Amino acid sequence: LLELKNSLVPGFEKIFPLDNHGAILLTTKGLKYYSNTNLIKKDLEVYVSSLYDINNQSIVTEGFSDTAKTNQYIHFDHQSNAFIFDFANNACTDEIRYRYQLSPLQKEWSSWDHKSEKEFNNLPPGNYDLIIEASDIFGNISAPYIYSFEIDAPWYRSKTALFCYIMAGFFMIFFSYRRVVKKYEQITTDLEEQKNESEELVLQLQK
């Protein structure tokens, strides 16, 4: 395309399409064949270029790197539950659309949009996969990019806390049971003693 810039004959711009991928153009240097095959075959890639933690007001990741183009996994505490994701691609054009899906909260893809960022707020604790795809003007769709992250539950909802709650409940039930059994044994003993005393009193009266 750069070679064709300013090379068309003014007032005599002619394009003779041959098929869906090629055409003959009339230029100041004669006839030229143009093909978009290379553009169509180019593999489109998408990735997360930056991640902003809203609650902590900090940038988690930013900028292009080799690792940015690979699927990511990151871990957050329970105070970090709001984020802004910025998307990027390897195409040299602004005519790129994106769609995303935050699993397991979202069961369906979002609609295609040229907007290259997405904000999520008030995410509950759990494991998430942000799946992103990009599409160019030729209809090429990138391979899905997966950004996995986990938000910890607060300490009182952690697995350790849950175990402690279960153990505390077990001990409460155990000691309550022991207390009831001991109370029952004490009542039984008192009744036996009262019965014996009554029998002795009857014997004394019979004499």
Side-chain angles (χ1 to χ4, degrees):
L1 290 176
L2 292 177
E3 295 179 359
L4 297 177
K5 187 177 182 180
N6 298 324
S7 64
L8 297 178
V9 180
F12 296 93
E13 296 86 354
K14 294 292 183 180
I15 299 176
F16 304 96
L18 300 178
D19 52 35
N20 291 333
H21 306 308
I24 299 296
L25 291 84
L26 178 61
T27 71
T28 56
K29 297 181 180 180
L31 298 177
K32 284 200 173 185
Y33 174 74
Y34 170 76
S35 174
N36 62 7
T37 303
N38 291 335
L39 293 175
I40 294 177
K41 290 184 177 179
K42 183 177 180 180
D43 291 334
L44 181 63
E45 298 178 357
V46 64
Y47 52 92
V48 171
S49 59
S50 69
L51 172 59
Y52 182 74
D53 186 334
I54 297 176
N55 291 345
N56 289 325
Q57 298 184 354
S58 63
I59 298 174
V60 181
T61 59
E62 182 181 34
F64 175 83
S65 66
D66 291 336
T67 56
K69 296 178 66 176
T70 60
N71 294 343
Q72 299 290 301
Y73 178 85
I74 196 164
H75 192 272
F76 298 98
D77 62 30
H78 70 280
Q79 294 179 339
S80 297
N81 65 351
F83 308 98
I84 298 176
F85 289 87
D86 282 316
F87 314 145
N89 63 83
N90 65 335
C92 299
T93 176
D94 294 330
E95 296 300 320
I96 298 293
R97 297 182 302 163
Y98 303 91
R99 68 176 183 176
Y100 59 86
Q101 180 182 4
L102 184 63
S103 177
L105 288 185
Q106 298 173 330
K107 303 300 181 182
E108 303 291 337
W109 286 96
S110 68
S111 58
W112 290 104
D113 197 329
H114 288 95
K115 189 177 181 180
S116 61
E117 71 172 30
K118 176 58 184 176
E119 180 176 337
F120 296 99
N121 292 286
N122 301 319
L123 295 176
N127 294 285
Y128 298 94
D129 290 325
L130 177 61
I131 310 170
I132 312 166
E133 288 184 346
S135 174
D136 60 20
I137 58 176
F138 301 106
N140 298 315
I141 297 179
S142 68
Y145 177 90
I146 302 175
Y147 197 107
S148 300
F149 61 99
E150 178 181 358
I151 302 176
D152 281 341
W155 66 267
Y156 53 84
R157 291 176 55 189
S158 64
K159 293 181 179 179
T160 301
L162 179 60
F163 175 77
C164 292
Y165 298 151
I166 293 174
M167 294 303 298
F170 172 78
F171 283 117
M172 288 179 64
I173 294 173
F174 175 76
F175 286 115
S176 296
Y177 172 77
R178 290 293 301 167
R179 185 175 180 181
V180 170
V181 170
K182 188 175 181 180
K183 184 71 172 178
Y184 174 78
E185 291 175 346
Q186 182 65 45
I187 293 174
T188 303
T189 301
D190 292 342
L191 291 175
E192 286 292 334
E193 290 178 355
Q194 291 178 7
K195 180 181 179 182
N196 294 334
E197 290 177 357
S198 298
E199 291 177 351
E200 291 177 0
L201 180 58
V202 169
L203 293 175
Q204 288 178 3
L205 293 175
Q206 290 177 348
K207 293 179 180 180

